[in-house]
Amino acid sequence: MQEGGCVKPKTMEADPLKFQVGINTRERPTPESVPAPNGVRERWAWAEPSAWSERMLTTLEEGVKGGRWYCLWDKVLKPENAQASFTKVKAKKGKPGVDHVTVEQFEERREENLDQLIRQMREGSYRPSPVKRVEIPKPGSAKKRPLGIPTVRDRVAQGMVKHVLEPIFERDFAEYSYGFRPGRSCKDALRRVQSLLDAGYNWVVDADIQGYFDSIPHDRLMERMKAKVTDGKVLGLVEAFLNQGILEGLKHWTPEKGTPQGAVLSPLLANAYLDPLDHRMAESGFQMVRYADDFVVLCKSEEQARSALAILQEWTDQAGLQLHPEKTRTVDATQKGGFDFLGYHFERGMKWPRKKSLAKLKDGIRAETKRCNGHSLDAIIASINPRLRGWFEYFKHSHKTTFRPIDQWTRMRLRSILRKRAGRRGRGRGEDHKRWPNAFFAKHGLYSLETARALAGQSARR
């Protein structure tokens, strides 16, 4: 018997690429570069060690009989797993759920709370509390999107389950999906899109699944889970999380489909449900790049793009999902119009922040630079600099004309504050540029996007 799988593993195959599972790289290494089998812990460094021993990871790489895992419940219930899960919940600094218990309050009786949670899960008396549903603004839009806030206790329980399930599904996830996966980020997805555009894949299927997280069919999602896991207690707990009640104001209901955005387990479940689509598109010869429910398919001709869209339409219909009729289209990226992906706008061989990304930045700066702001200029600059730095770090690969107008607009906001303090009305303009020149703000430490880009370009050339 092999630990974790409760079955004898298959004989190890000679192909060294067998050990690629769990390694997230943008390019598949050559056989010579694949680590030796005894480096399994290094290859799965992100996997929670309290839930996954080296023997289990070896079994994961070799494959269990039938491809399905048994006897996982005891791994979920390990006290060390609960401790590790709470540590991650604490690091997120999330808000309390319907029970009003904060992370700090939970931590005050940490050992007692975790022991009670494990005991209830073991005895079968644990029941997830309703999820607190709130509406949060969409960046750069007047619309709002729903966010689910489970209780701290339920976030810990979901993390315990995620620690056990994630490596099992991560092992076979498609190469070019990037959202909420260990060792991957938005920037990896953006690099992939840019490399495909550079290679001539200029016809793009810009697709949007309407209300994806709220529309995943529970029965079909559980079929995906059962394809790899047969431990009834683990599956039962996943199903209990899917069936958690929703509390929005005074309204309470039980969802028939979907998984709440904001729940610890939701990103893994969402990826698991779309993974067959990733493989279907790859098997059909199409280049799809996906980050959670945001994805594009890049093709070399309009005909290929239309074929890819037809497959997408067929697959989503069969999966109980719906492509947004107004947001799904095919586009020639070499022509005016382009497409948006992960905050960037791609068009005619260039890219820059999409309108919503720029609006979100300006909204944040506006909030800190109202003319009635009573703080000192240095304090105001100190409050907006981190926002400017973070924005530049993500959008620094934008076209060079992106940055100067934002710098000018930011200085205008600051001149308007100084103008009001000098007893004048209106925005900073005219002679204000002489009273408070650009060098004045630089002396006070204002972060300049244009200067940062110039320095980044010099560094890249060196």
Side-chain angles (χ1 to χ4, degrees), residues 30 105 284 381:
T30 60
Q105 290 170 335
S284 300
I381 289 175

Side-chain angles (χ1 to χ4, degrees), residues 203-214:
W203 275 93
V204 181
V205 180
D206 184 9
D208 181 88
I209 299 178
Q210 194 163 3
Y212 174 61
F213 279 85
D214 288 334

Side-chain angles (χ1 to χ4, degrees), residues 32-82:
E32 293 78 12
S33 67
V34 177
N38 59 6
V40 64
R41 175 58 68 189
E42 287 73 18
R43 294 193 295 278
W44 293 86
W46 57 266
E48 175 52 48
S50 64
W52 284 86
S53 66
E54 289 196 9
R55 290 180 61 193
M56 285 181 65
L57 291 173
T58 300
T59 300
L60 179 68
E61 290 193 345
E62 294 175 1
V64 293
K65 185 177 181 180
R68 299 197 295 175
W69 284 77
Y70 306 79
C71 305
L72 297 172
W73 188 237
D74 61 320
K75 312 301 184 296
V76 173
L77 297 182
K78 282 186 175 181
E80 299 86 354
N81 186 29

Side-chain angles (χ1 to χ4, degrees), residues 387-400:
R387 188 182 300 273
L388 290 167
R389 286 193 186 94
W391 193 88
F392 176 77
E393 183 58 32
Y394 190 79
F395 289 105
K396 62 185 176 183
H397 298 294
S398 298
H399 190 265
K400 62 183 180 180

